[in-house]
Amino acid sequence: MESYLLALGILDSGVRLAVPLLCACLAGLYSEKAGVVDIGLEGKLLGAAFASATTALATGSALIGLLAGIAASLVLALVHGFACITQRGNQIVTGVAINVLVGGLTALLGHAWYNQGGRTPSLEGAARLNEIQLPFVDSVASVPVLGPFYAEVVSGHALPVYLAFLAVPVTWFLLYRTRWGLRIRAVGENPAAVDTAGISVTRLRFSAVLACGLLCGIGGAYMSVAQAASFLPHMTAGKGFIALAALIFAKWRPVAALWACLLFGLLDAAAIRLQGVVLPGIGEVPVQAIQALPYVLTVILLAGFVGRAIPPKASGVPYVKER
Amino acid sequence: MSAKPVSLPRWADVILLPALNVGLAFLASGLVVLAIGESPLEATALLLRGALGHAEGIGFTLYYTTNFIFTGLAVAVAFHAGLFNIGGEGQAMLGGIGAAIAALLLGSLPAIIALPAAILAAALFGAGWAAIPGWLQAKRGSHVVITTIMFNFIASALLVYLLVDVFRPTGMMEPSSRVFADGGKLPFLHEIAASLGFKLAKSPLNLSFVLALASAVAVWLLIYRSRLGYAIRTVGANPTAARYAGISPERITILAMAISGALAGMMAVNEILGVQHRLLLAFTAGYGFVGIAVALMGRGNPVGIVFAALLFGVLYQGGTELAFDKPSISRDMIVVIQGLVILFAGALEFMLKPWIAKLLTRKEPA
């Protein structure tokens, strides 16, 4: 029973750590399905985390903070769209620019506004998104096995957690069961065909990039307004890139993205707990090895040594009508 | 309806357009300074004085410049082959590991043997770390951008592991290696000057600055005057045409990545062999990413890169002093400028092109 509770604890923190990954991963999914590679996920998460924390501090409302985070991320998505779609700039360079710019800007402004080395004062009370207790937690708590699971892992998370998990079926439905989704997938595979059918490639790609901004906004806001209860410079710490890895790992599919993000979240949670623990038969595993695992797995998968990850055909290529 | 492709006269394309783009980036940076309630003009003056106003400042400026020449050249060589190497950071870390291993093992030997070996090790480790993504792209089709990003994180985990569990002398708290013996230390330029009988201000500027300039010349010769460089540029311009010309794009991809990684790895020569004299965490400090801005600003040309690196050297040193004089403008301001340069000189490279074309054609008599 004790080890079951311990496992539940790891599972619970794994779910929490997976949420920003899941948001950014699904965000990247929309963008890349439409043919716009986005390595600026990290910057969007960070920008949203900063905007939501500062707004929540100023207004005292976590919900307004969440909305401000989404707004900031949408603005960054528009910058990305303007550079890559309208100006046909290099998508990778644009992503790098957004990451570097946001990394500098948030630390600079945080330092200038709060004078605490870039971090914001901690969010308290209504300025923080609080954990939601799902109904019946108390009445099912006595049910063996499932009761503690429901109480520990399923219940007791902040709003963005449920939004992120809800986004998985919604994304699946939008991409695979709606006309918009069909067009998004088409524009990522063969934009010329979409154009010939009389549908605007530009408008479709912008809609996908904005969907990406929306999801990154939720993920970033969760990190500062719920998880950490403050903003710290560079607090995303590569989560946007792990999300990118998860996206490749999931081979650009929404449900697989959920499993990939949960796996990487769990690895992260386990890395923290396994510090200095000697595993039977293996010995002491260096924490760094577990931390590097998502990246190593992604490289191996991408190289086609185990399975094959093939990106949407037109992703990364700006669309030029005259070609 | 999209705009017609426009062409500009060569001088406008090579000089005017990049200058305007960088100008826009600085203009936007000025607005950021205004937004936090400081005067951009005063900040610029303080920054320039901090970077160039005194002998010690100039030494620090050139020390930063050294890093940026290496990482800028690294990005540029890959650019010429049509590859985007974002892995400069990880390659520099590996370069540091290589340099440290050589310097720890051979440091007690005379510097004339130990130093070339350590420099070579830095370049080789960096080259190896970049050649794997190159090989994966050439032979297995995995995109070099993604792989180099992943390799940055793997390198960082490897560096932490090595420093915490392998290199750290017992009983030391800080994760770092022991200090190298004298044979593994590159001389500071102020030491060389003193031994020649004249005085230079004390600064971290060391012999690797000369190595960086020599590398810039070597890269220029390689890209514009050698058979390999021609092959690299051909593959970058059109891999299919290159194949018809008897060039193997696969081979060139791996080679270009290896050269790029070697240059990035040599950044560690400056930091590890030149200044720190031991391996430590986070010595790359994002300089690998500055290389992207430097290469874009210098348009991939080694001459342009040296000047762009100097500009960023001024920004880094001046920014440090500025943060001291004006506490509200932290050193992160430099990162903001860097991001804006990548945005305007890279991503939005051709934004102004139609307008300039219109302006120029209007002036000419029809």
Side-chain angles (χ1 to χ4, degrees):
Chain A
M1 197 60 203
E2 202 157 289
S3 56
Y4 179 59
L5 282 180
L6 182 74
L8 284 186
I10 293 182
L11 205 58
D12 181 52
S13 51
V15 165
R16 285 162 203 265
L17 289 166
V19 168
L21 297 182
L22 185 56
C23 288
C25 185
L26 292 174
L29 181 72
Y30 282 101
S31 190
E32 298 212 353
K33 275 283 180 197
V36 183
V37 168
D38 191 358
I39 65 165
L41 297 172
E42 174 85 1
K44 285 183 194 143
L45 282 179
L46 192 63
F50 180 74
S52 55
T54 49
T55 312
L57 260 180
T59 60
S61 157
L63 222 53
I64 298 180
L66 174 64
L67 292 178
I70 293 172
S73 179
L74 284 175
V75 168
L76 291 171
L78 281 176
V79 171
H80 192 69
F82 175 72
C84 305
I85 305 169
T86 314
Q87 296 292 332
R88 293 182 215 133
N90 185 316
Q91 301 174 357
I92 305 292
V93 176
T94 310
V96 173
I98 288 178
N99 289 340
V100 174
L101 180 61
V102 173
L105 207 54
T106 50
L108 177 76
L109 293 179
H111 174 83
W113 290 347
Y114 303 104
N115 216 0
Q116 296 182 6
R119 59 183 302 167
T120 62
S122 59
L123 301 164
E124 279 154 9
R128 187 179 179 187
L129 279 177
N130 288 312
E131 295 167 351
I132 302 169
Q133 290 299 328
L134 293 184
F136 315 118
V137 166
D138 294 328
S139 46
V140 297
S142 52
V143 179
V145 183
L146 283 180
F149 181 80
Y150 184 72
E152 276 282 320
V153 182
V154 179
S155 172
H157 295 291
L159 174 69
V161 179
Y162 300 105
L163 286 180
F165 282 90
L166 192 66
V168 177
V170 169
T171 299
W172 177 84
F173 182 80
L174 282 177
L175 283 179
Y176 294 97
R177 288 295 179 273
T178 67
R179 183 154 59 171
W180 177 75
L182 178 66
R183 288 174 175 176
I184 287 288
R185 285 182 292 135
V187 89
E189 295 288 338
N190 189 346
V194 177
D195 200 11
T196 315
I199 304 158
S200 163
V201 173
T202 307
R203 199 173 300 167
L204 271 175
R205 286 195 166 168
F206 259 104
S207 66
V209 165
L210 286 175
C212 167
L214 172 74
L215 280 163
C216 280
I218 296 173
Y222 173 71
M223 293 186 74
S224 65
V225 179
Q227 224 172 4
S230 71
F231 174 84
L232 306 162
H234 308 287
M235 69 186 299
T236 45
K239 285 224 174 346
F241 293 111
I242 301 200
L244 209 59
L247 182 60
I248 295 163
F249 210 68
K251 301 182 184 174
W252 292 269
R253 293 171 308 185
V255 180
L258 169 67
W259 300 124
C261 290
L262 277 176
L263 172 70
F264 290 174
L266 273 177
L267 278 177
D268 203 0
I272 301 165
R273 307 257 173 147
L274 286 179
Q275 204 145 21
V277 176
V278 180
L279 291 182
I282 309 173
E284 190 180 331
V285 183
V287 190
Q288 293 82 18
I290 305 173
Q291 282 166 343
L293 202 56
Y295 307 111
V296 176
L297 288 176
T298 304
V299 169
I300 293 173
L301 188 81
L302 202 58
F305 292 122
V306 186
R308 195 106 185 89
I310 300 161
K313 203 170 170 193
S315 67
V317 191
Y319 180 62
V320 186
K321 229 180 170 79
E322 288 80 6
R323 209 172 289 170
Chain B
M1 294 291 283
S2 47
K4 274 186 211 152
V6 284
S7 61
L8 291 177
R10 194 175 142 75
W11 66 270
D13 211 25
V14 175
I15 303 200
L16 183 62
L17 192 58
L20 283 175
N21 285 335
V22 172
L24 268 183
F26 281 110
L27 205 66
S29 313
L31 292 179
V32 172
V33 175
L34 264 184
I36 52 178
E38 297 286 349
S39 149
L41 288 179
E42 195 194 352
T44 312
L46 282 173
L47 191 146
L48 286 177
R49 197 179 313 143
L52 302 168
H54 53 117
E56 192 196 2
I58 295 175
F60 269 91
T61 297
L62 293 179
Y63 144 71
Y64 286 119
T65 304
T66 309
N67 285 336
F68 304 147
I69 293 177
F70 281 128
T71 53
L73 289 173
V75 176
V77 169
F79 262 161
H80 280 289
L83 300 161
F84 199 158
N85 177 13
I86 324 195
E89 202 71 4
Q91 289 140 23
M93 284 178 204
L94 262 285
I97 294 172
I101 292 175
L104 287 170
L105 289 177
L106 306 172
S108 48
L109 297 175
I112 195 91
I113 301 166
L115 279 177
I119 293 170
L120 196 67
L124 280 179
F125 271 60
W129 200 246
I132 304 170
W135 181 82
L136 287 171
Q137 155 121 14
K139 302 286 182 187
R140 314 287 312 186
S142 41
H143 205 292
V144 85
V145 168
I146 304 291
T147 327
T148 48
I149 291 176
M150 302 301 145
F151 267 52
N152 279 344
F153 287 101
I154 300 172
S156 146
L158 181 67
L159 183 63
V160 176
Y161 167 73
L162 287 177
L163 284 175
V164 171
D165 289 349
V166 181
F167 284 139
R168 179 168 57 174
T170 37
M172 198 159 82
M173 283 303 291
E174 192 198 359
S176 85
S177 78
R178 69 172 164 83
V179 175
F180 307 146
D182 281 346
K185 295 178 183 170
L186 264 185
F188 289 111
L189 281 194
H190 61 84
E191 290 172 353
I192 300 178
S195 70
L196 294 176
F198 57 100
K199 215 171 132 46
L200 268 186
K202 238 180 131 180
S203 75
L205 183 63
N206 59 73
L207 207 55
S208 36
F209 179 62
V210 181
L211 187 66
L213 292 179
S215 304
V217 175
V219 169
W220 188 86
L221 287 173
L222 168 80
I223 295 293
Y224 298 110
R225 287 292 180 273
S226 80
R227 187 183 280 260
L228 177 62
Y230 182 74
I232 287 178
R233 283 182 294 140
T234 311
V235 169
N238 189 339
T240 319
R243 198 182 295 283
Y244 280 112
I247 300 166
S248 154
E250 289 83 18
R251 194 176 143 260
I252 295 299
T253 297
I254 300 170
L255 266 177
M257 280 305 286
I259 297 170
S260 172
L263 287 161
M266 271 156 69
M267 193 212 96
V269 173
N270 186 35
E271 284 294 325
I272 297 298
L273 300 175
V275 181
Q276 304 290 349
H277 303 147
R278 66 199 170 110
L279 188 63
L280 69 173
L281 282 180
F283 70 90
T284 52
Y287 299 146
F289 293 114
V290 184
I292 297 168
V294 168
L296 286 170
M297 207 173 192
R299 302 206 112 202
N301 187 312
V303 180
I305 286 169
V306 170
F307 283 106
L310 184 63
L311 181 74
F312 271 95
V314 167
L315 286 176
Y316 264 71
Q317 166 54 18
T320 310
E321 301 240 341
L322 176 62
F324 194 69
D325 292 328
K326 290 259 172 219
S328 62
I329 309 179
S330 67
R331 280 194 74 190
D332 303 296
M333 187 64 219
I334 316 158
V335 184
V336 174
I337 298 176
Q338 187 189 324
L340 288 167
V341 165
I342 300 176
L343 187 65
F344 284 104
L348 299 171
E349 199 181 355
F350 300 117
M351 184 171 66
L352 298 174
K353 203 170 174 179
W355 282 317
I356 297 176
K358 213 179 279 176
L359 272 177
L360 289 178
T361 44
R362 199 178 293 162
K363 273 182 194 160
E364 282 167 19

